[in-house]
Amino acid sequence: MGLKFLVVDDSVTMRRIVANSLKNLGYTDLVEAVDGKDALNKLAADSSINFVITDWNMPVLSGLELTKAIRSDDKLKNLPILMVTTRGVKEDILEALQAKVNNYIVKPFTPQILKEKIEQILSAN
Amino acid sequence: MEKTQMNMTTLFEKLNDLKTLFQYGEKIVPIIKSLVDFMQDTVPLLENINHSITDSASKIPTASNQINNVTSATEMATTEILDLIDVISANLEKMESINNSALSQLNEAKSGIATLKERLKNDPQSLQILENIEKTFSIESNLNELKDYFPKLKNDAYQITLSLQVQDITAQQLAAVNHLIDSVQKRLTSLINDIDSSDFEKGLPKIDVPSGSTFDGNASYSKNNSKQSMVDSILREKSEKASQDEIDKLFS
């Protein structure tokens, strides 16, 4: 089964940049969500989504809360989660890892980092 | 008689006290007067301060709205740039495909000419015509040069896309500024309410400030990858520790 990405970010700019980067890497199958709650709805509606790329700071439900919600759901708990955020202090990184994100990118990201992190997650899974 | 003398002594003492009081009063009256003058001068000053604070506080929602407008405008402009980059990338894709197809047709024509030259090797006139046609194939080097440009142009367009991440980062910085402005307004409003009991706050337009969880006040646009290096080093440490834990579990 191919990869189907869910790109979660409240910024339309960032959603498009991540989507463009994924397309450049050859991943064309993707769905977008504007916040954590929207992401959970999309995940509930589409079981073929098998990779989540999420921002941290979002209204309604943050990326961290989304991660916790996914990890506590029996059906979704094994979904790979890559966090892409501006938050780059040690405490934040540790908090995200504690919430069990699979990997973490600090914005602004480069395509090389995105590729590397996706491949790291896929090879670990 | 003695009693009368005592009363007189007390009276003189009291009169002396009164005299001292009057003398003291004579000294203190000018001080009180200058204090009253000072207070009278201060009242317009305090009114002025109150007016300035009221004025500043009432301008804050406008400043905040202007910041929100800047964020919306940059987001709109960024979307337009991204749309244009998509169009440019799609056009580059088409041009590359046309160029590749022209190169492939040229190769077919070259191969056809080579076959004809072999078949017509005893016909100098035809050979000359074929050689003249072959000269027009110099366009091949131009087409090959163009072929090298397409990936570069597509990559440049993509790099512009990546640089537009700055919009999201500045939007978060502006949201943080709006939060600061909001807290300044709250302080000023409370100060005004302390000076003037009228319900000043009710007259102010509401500031539309996003909640603290929707932005990162420390967001910064930097090509320096020290933050990412820190992430990677923490991840490495965690993964090494996890591996060691797994090994320890196996031996326990």
Side-chain angles (χ1 to χ4, degrees):
Chain A
M1 194 170 72
L3 280 179
K4 185 165 189 175
F5 286 84
L6 174 62
V7 178
V8 195
D9 203 307
D10 56 324
S11 156
V12 61
T13 307
M14 280 313 300
R15 287 202 305 275
R16 282 190 67 173
I17 293 172
V18 173
N20 274 358
S21 301
L22 288 173
K23 282 173 189 162
N24 269 5
L25 293 174
Y27 303 118
T28 51
D29 203 3
L30 56 98
V31 182
E32 292 180 18
V34 296
D35 56 51
K37 193 180 172 199
D38 188 25
L40 287 173
N41 290 337
K42 297 267 161 74
L43 285 168
D46 185 350
S47 59
S48 64
I49 294 168
N50 47 18
F51 203 113
V52 177
I53 297 182
T54 184
D55 181 25
W56 183 321
N57 293 104
M58 290 183 291
V60 190
L61 195 74
S62 74
L64 195 73
E65 290 163 329
L66 169 66
T67 304
K68 288 174 183 170
I70 289 174
R71 293 294 179 242
S72 61
D73 185 316
D74 280 343
K75 282 183 193 161
L76 305 172
K77 65 181 176 191
N78 294 323
L79 262 183
I81 302 175
L82 172 60
M83 188 162 268
V84 182
T85 172
T86 52
R87 299 174 82 115
V89 295
K90 195 176 177 184
E91 290 72 23
D92 291 335
I93 300 160
L94 291 173
E95 197 178 351
L97 291 177
Q98 206 167 16
K100 293 188 180 153
V101 297
N102 294 76
N103 222 311
Y104 195 99
I105 294 179
V106 181
K107 294 177 192 172
F109 71 88
T110 62
Q112 290 80 12
I113 283 284
L114 184 66
K115 183 174 186 276
E116 203 179 294
K117 296 295 181 186
I118 291 172
E119 284 172 357
Q120 274 177 18
I121 292 175
L122 293 177
S123 65
N125 282 8
Chain B
M1 186 65 186
E2 200 175 306
K3 197 179 174 190
T4 309
Q5 199 175 355
M6 266 180 69
N7 283 343
M8 285 305 284
T9 310
T10 311
L11 180 69
F12 280 122
E13 277 172 10
K14 295 284 176 200
L15 280 171
N16 262 339
D17 286 350
L18 204 60
K19 188 186 165 195
T20 314
L21 192 70
F22 278 129
Q23 281 171 342
Y24 183 70
E26 271 174 17
K27 280 182 193 166
I28 207 161
V29 162
I31 296 171
I32 291 171
K33 192 176 175 299
S34 59
L35 195 65
V36 168
D37 288 347
F38 172 74
M39 301 260 301
Q40 275 173 342
D41 289 346
T42 314
V43 168
L45 192 68
L46 284 171
E47 274 174 3
N48 205 3
I49 291 170
N50 188 14
H51 178 72
S52 297
I53 295 173
T54 310
D55 191 41
S56 305
S58 65
K59 278 177 184 161
I60 281 176
T62 313
S64 176
N65 284 339
Q66 278 170 346
I67 287 173
N68 285 339
N69 290 344
V70 169
T71 304
S72 303
T74 55
E75 190 170 77
M76 211 186 293
T78 308
T79 304
E80 283 171 11
I81 295 169
L82 284 167
D83 287 345
L84 277 174
I85 291 171
D86 281 351
V87 171
I88 291 170
S89 300
N91 285 340
L92 281 171
E93 202 77 48
K94 274 184 209 161
M95 285 164 71
E96 190 178 26
S97 158
I98 291 167
N99 194 59
N100 287 342
S101 149
L103 270 169
S104 146
Q105 282 168 5
L106 198 63
N107 277 334
E108 276 176 33
K110 273 170 73 181
S111 157
I113 294 281
T115 312
L116 278 175
K117 273 169 89 179
E118 185 57 34
R119 284 186 189 174
L120 300 169
K121 61 184 171 192
N122 297 323
D123 180 352
Q125 274 187 324
S126 298
L127 275 177
Q128 188 57 51
I129 293 168
L130 289 173
E131 272 161 19
N132 287 342
I133 293 171
E134 250 183 340
K135 279 178 192 162
T136 63
F137 292 168
S138 62
I139 195 171
E140 188 182 13
S141 64
N142 295 335
L143 293 177
N144 273 320
E145 205 178 334
L146 271 179
K147 192 181 175 181
D148 295 338
Y149 271 109
F150 289 117
K152 194 184 169 306
L153 287 171
K154 281 196 280 187
N155 186 50
D156 287 348
Y158 177 53
Q159 290 302 325
I160 295 172
T161 304
L162 289 172
S163 300
L164 291 173
Q165 289 180 81
V166 72
Q167 192 276 325
D168 173 54
I169 291 164
T170 50
Q172 294 195 52
Q173 289 167 338
L174 290 174
V177 171
N178 247 356
H179 247 263
L180 279 176
I181 286 178
D182 183 48
S183 62
V184 169
Q185 193 199 27
K186 278 178 184 150
R187 289 279 173 91
L188 288 180
T189 305
S190 130
L191 194 63
I192 293 163
N193 286 339
D194 287 346
I195 297 170
D196 179 0
S197 58
S198 67
D199 213 348
F200 168 76
E201 200 172 353
K202 279 187 182 167
L204 284 178
K206 209 177 171 314
I207 298 181
D208 184 19
V209 181
S211 82
S213 62
T214 62
F215 64 87
D216 171 19
N218 297 317
S220 65
Y221 186 79
S222 166
K223 298 258 173 167
N224 172 347
N225 66 351
S226 59
K227 285 181 181 173
Q228 189 59 50
S229 302
M230 185 175 64
V231 171
D232 295 343
S233 124
I234 292 171
L235 284 167
R236 257 196 311 276
E237 264 176 46
K238 284 259 167 192
S239 128
E240 278 162 17
K241 192 178 177 299
S243 309
Q244 190 55 51
D245 286 350
E246 278 161 23
I247 293 166
D248 293 346
K249 241 185 228 173
L250 285 173
F251 285 96
S252 64

